[in-house]
Every structure is written in C-alpha cells, then in structure tokens.
Amino acid sequence: MKALILCAGRPQEYLVKVLKERGYTVLVADRNPKAPAAVVADKFYSVSTLDIEGIRKIAVDEKVDFIISVCADQMLLVAAQICEELGLPCYIDYETAKNVSSKEYMKRIFVENNVPTAKHIVRTELTAEDIAGMTYPMIVKPVDCYSSRGVKRVENEAELLTAFENAVTLSRTGNAIVEEFIGGEEYSVDYYIENGEAKLLCARVLDKIPDYDGFVICRGRYPSELSEEMEKRVTYVGQQIADAFGLKDTPMLIQMKIDGERINVIEFCARTGGGIKYRLMPVVSGFDVVKAVADLTIGEKPKCEVNRFGGYIIDEFIYCNKGVLDHVEGFEELLEEGIIDHYEIYKPQGFEFGQASCSGDRVAYFSVKADTKQELVRLHTLAGSRVKAVSTEGIDLIRHDIITLD
C-alpha cells in the first residue's frame, strides 16, 4: 500500500511516521529536498505541490492508494481534486475543499448563514464608491493566500490603494478582500467535526508582532481562559459553520476575534492548524487530529473524546532583524535543562533575513509548559533571554523585543 503526502514540513514529517507505523510505503512531494519529511520518506519527488499535472503523474505512475495532506489549505484542495479525478479516497470532496479554500465564497456563506463576520467587499479593482459606507481602519488581504501573506491594516485611502494593489498581485485569481477592522483579542480555535457535530478541542490566544501593519503571529497562549458561557458561544459558531458548509467528519480551524461579548469570525478551514498544531493538539485535547485525518482517508471514523490539559503552554515563534544566519544557540541546552518543552529550527545556515512579513519568516520556535502562570512566565522569560540566532558577522539577530509578555 502506498500513500503520497503533499508538502514536507514538520507536520508532514509526523504524518510520515504515522503512516509508516501502519505499514504504508510513503512518498512525499515538495519543492525542497531538504525539508524534514523529504528526509524520512521512502521516496521523495521534487515537485511543487501546486503542480496539478506533476502530482497527478506521480500518483498514476506510482499507483498510490491515496493522496493526503494535513495543515495546509491549498494542499488539501490539490489532494481533493486529484483524488476525485483518479477515484482515490479523500476525507473531503473537491467541491467542499474548493469552497472552504476561497475567502470570497467563505465570506458570502458567513453572511447568508448569520455567522458573525466583518463588513467587507471582494474586488479585482477598487474605486472610492466600493468602500462607501465602510469605516477605517480596514484590513486588506488576497482571497487565496495563507501565512498572512499580503494582509495589511490600512488607515486611509492612500494606504488602502497600495495594499489592495499588492494583495491582488499576490492572489492567484487576482481578487482581494477589503473588510472593516474589528478590535479584540484574536483566537485560534480548533474543532473536530464528528458526524456533523462540532467538538471544541482547543482555543488559544494569538499575539502578533507589535507596531507592524501586518498580522504576523509571534506567540500562541494556552489556555484561552474564556468563560464557560463564551466557550459555549464559540462552540455554537463552529456548529454554524459546519452546518453552513455541510461538514460531517473533518478537523476544522477557525480564526476569530472576541471583544467583550462580541465574536467576529475572520476565516476558517477544514483542516487542523499548521505550524506546531500537529503536536499541540494531542497535548491540550488528548485527540490526535493528524492520526484522525489518516483514519478518515482510509475510511475509518475515529472517536473524538476531549480531555483538556490543565496546565499552561506558550509557543513562541522567533523572528530576526536583517542579516545572514550563521547558526543558532541555546535551544538544545534549554531543552536538556527542562526550561523548554520542545523547539524547532526553520532556517538553514546562510539564510538571509529581511523584514518579517509572514509566518514563513520565522527562524525557530520554542514551547514552554508549566503547571502555573507564574512558573510559565519565569521559564518563558529565561528561555527568551538565552536563545540566539548568530549572524555571519557575530551579531545576535533575534528580535528579543518581541519575546516579552505583558
């Protein structure tokens, strides 16, 4: 039995392990032959995961039993399309994958089904009349990009036009969303939809790089400490979306803002979260979503039982000032001393950093876990003071000003 995985990042590396443990021969496709999953796969293909023809050819030539993707919207769309064409199993059909991958379609369905979301428009070109009745500040973003690429907050017409032009350039379909900015804290909320029922796995607060007009995540904080009543409302919103899009058995991730009693859904996707979510979900919820996707793909239905972690976790995503990376320091020592629970390095020696503009600009991340808030803050502060990303000129490039807690 053969499986073809799209993308070769850390989550896919874990998926390789999951599938090998089940006896599958595992193929991986990605443009980067040095990516983590590429190294551990039984066979690697250096093919863009957005290359429909290239992926289809691999699937046909290798006679794979299924194509699978986790933690990436566009890869899910590619997998669903090719699986449908070739008659291979996939936990989501192509039409649904297409709908949940389009921010334009998503926003329309939100409005039609009374899902709380910001006032917005979708355009290929923008005029003053288009935004009549909307108020600044506004958010501009491409309809089909991810990792916060092209997302900007704008305060006036000049900034709006510049951001809009950039967003439509980044969009594969040449469309961008302009929406009113809504305040409040941002939350990343993971669910599992089991037989059409939305089950809340994890809600955590997302911190962004301060004093920057983009929306680049620098930290995730668990637990969210939402009230019991607000958790019920958040679960209800997840159920609204599952019903509106006809989702039956799938992981689901919603980005939302909560300001007092007001909930505003930014966007959602029918997958587990990217980045480090593949390892965070089993810890905080007791439910392994990556294994669940593997089960669903081969026709099995996992039983979702949620067992919440009672402690505290911070996932710190680390960014750099401009410079060329020589090496990183401190991470392994912090792990050995038990100060951090986990870490990952994302950039190789020789990587040149510019301004951090999306999550793909992270040099590394570390996770801190503790039983109390006080201990969490102590460990986080200690770890943040000791990690280094040393440049070829011997300078620590890490933006330590970001690694602070209010």
Side-chain angles (χ1 to χ4, degrees):
M1 300 283 282
K2 286 184 182 179
L4 173 59
I5 296 176
L6 305 185
C7 278
R10 296 290 182 185
Q12 292 78 28
E13 179 185 35
Y14 177 60
L15 180 57
V16 170
K17 177 184 176 182
V18 168
L19 293 175
K20 282 189 173 185
E21 288 176 349
R22 299 182 184 197
Y24 286 94
T25 298
V26 183
L27 317 179
V28 170
D30 194 289
R31 286 187 299 180
N32 182 8
K34 295 182 180 180
V39 179
V40 298
D42 293 304
K43 193 171 184 179
F44 173 75
Y45 283 90
S46 184
V47 176
S48 168
T49 48
L50 296 177
D51 180 356
I52 300 290
E53 294 300 323
I55 299 299
R56 184 189 294 110
K57 185 176 188 305
I58 295 170
V60 171
D61 291 348
E62 290 282 1
K63 297 182 174 61
V64 301
D65 294 282
F66 59 87
I67 304 169
I68 188 169
S69 175
V70 292
C71 306
D73 287 341
Q74 299 306 313
M75 303 312 97
L76 176 61
L77 184 61
V78 171
Q81 177 180 342
I82 298 175
C83 285
E84 195 163 292
E85 291 175 359
L86 300 181
L88 300 176
C90 186
Y91 76 90
I92 191 169
D93 65 87
Y94 176 59
E95 187 65 24
T96 301
K98 184 170 62 174
N99 291 340
V100 301
S101 298
S102 166
K103 293 181 177 68
E104 178 179 5
Y105 181 87
M106 186 186 302
K107 285 285 191 178
R108 177 164 64 82
I109 298 301
F110 285 171
V111 172
E112 291 175 357
N113 290 272
N114 298 313
V115 175
T117 195
K119 186 176 182 180
H120 66 279
I121 58 170
V122 180
R123 295 288 188 275
T124 55
E125 297 180 350
L126 190 66
T127 66
E129 290 75 20
D130 292 326
I131 58 169
M134 296 178 68
T135 58
Y136 290 99
M138 298 182 193
I139 305 298
V140 182
K141 53 188 163 185
V143 298
D144 50 8
C145 288
Y146 49 94
S147 298
S148 300
R149 288 183 174 85
V151 181
K152 295 290 182 182
R153 170 175 167 157
V154 297
E155 304 289 343
N156 53 55
E157 184 176 348
E159 292 179 356
L160 171 62
L161 294 175
T162 299
F164 183 84
E165 182 178 349
N166 180 59
V168 296
T169 300
L170 291 172
S171 168
R172 288 185 295 280
T173 58
N175 287 287
I177 292 176
V178 179
E179 64 184 23
E180 291 183 343
F181 174 80
I182 294 180
E185 282 199 295
E186 185 169 333
Y187 292 77
S188 175
V189 188
D190 287 85
Y191 305 76
Y192 186 73
I193 313 302
E194 183 176 37
N195 296 322
E197 178 187 353
K199 296 187 174 184
L200 180 62
L201 300 179
C202 169
R204 65 176 186 156
V205 181
L206 298 180
D207 296 332
K208 304 298 180 70
I209 294 180
D211 303 321
Y212 176 61
D213 60 2
F215 293 85
V216 183
I217 299 168
C218 63
R219 184 180 306 110
R221 293 183 278 127
Y222 172 91
S224 62
E225 300 186 308
L226 294 172
S227 68
E228 184 177 346
E229 178 59 32
M230 184 55 74
E231 274 209 6
K232 290 179 180 178
R233 292 183 58 195
V234 166
T235 302
Y236 174 72
V237 168
Q239 189 65 59
Q240 280 185 292
I241 293 175
D243 292 342
F245 287 83
L247 303 178
K248 298 301 180 185
D249 294 282
T250 177
M252 182 172 74
L253 171 67
I254 300 179
Q255 287 177 266
M256 62 176 66
K257 281 194 170 183
I258 299 178
D259 188 5
E261 296 299 309
R262 185 181 183 186
I263 295 176
N264 170 59
V265 175
I266 301 170
E267 60 189 49
F268 92 104
C269 48
R271 61 170 175 84
T272 190
I276 49 82
K277 286 287 187 72
Y278 74 96
R279 67 176 301 272
L280 180 67
M281 286 302 102
V283 174
V284 299
S285 72
F287 184 71
D288 192 321
V289 183
V290 172
K291 288 183 177 179
V293 169
D295 289 339
L296 290 171
T297 301
I298 61 177
E300 299 177 1
K301 286 193 175 183
K303 178 64 178 175
C304 180
E305 296 180 353
V306 181
N307 297 297
R308 297 278 178 82
F309 173 63
Y312 297 84
I313 296 175
I314 286 178
D315 295 308
E316 187 71 35
F317 304 106
I318 302 172
Y319 297 87
C320 288
N321 292 305
K322 293 180 180 180
V324 178
L325 179 66
D326 183 75
H327 66 278
V328 297
E329 295 179 3
F331 293 89
E332 189 61 28
E333 292 80 6
L334 289 166
L335 183 65
E336 291 173 356
E337 294 171 32
I339 295 169
I340 63 175
D341 178 59
H342 187 75
Y343 76 90
E344 292 175 3
I345 307 300
Y346 299 129
K347 301 304 182 188
Q349 183 182 43
F351 186 87
E352 184 172 0
F353 292 99
Q355 178 178 315
S357 60
C358 69
S359 60
D361 293 325
R362 301 166 180 168
V363 63
Y365 112 96
F366 66 77
S367 179
V368 176
K369 183 164 63 173
D371 293 330
T372 66
K373 277 187 180 181
Q374 182 179 9
E375 179 66 0
L376 186 79
V377 171
R378 185 186 75 81
L379 294 174
H380 176 266
T381 302
L382 184 57
S385 68
R386 287 176 52 181
V387 293
K388 293 182 179 181
V390 182
S391 74
T392 52
E393 298 179 343
I395 299 170
D396 181 11
L397 297 174
I398 287 179
R399 287 198 57 186
H400 289 276
D401 60 304
I402 297 174
I403 313 176
T404 56
L405 294 174
D406 295 332

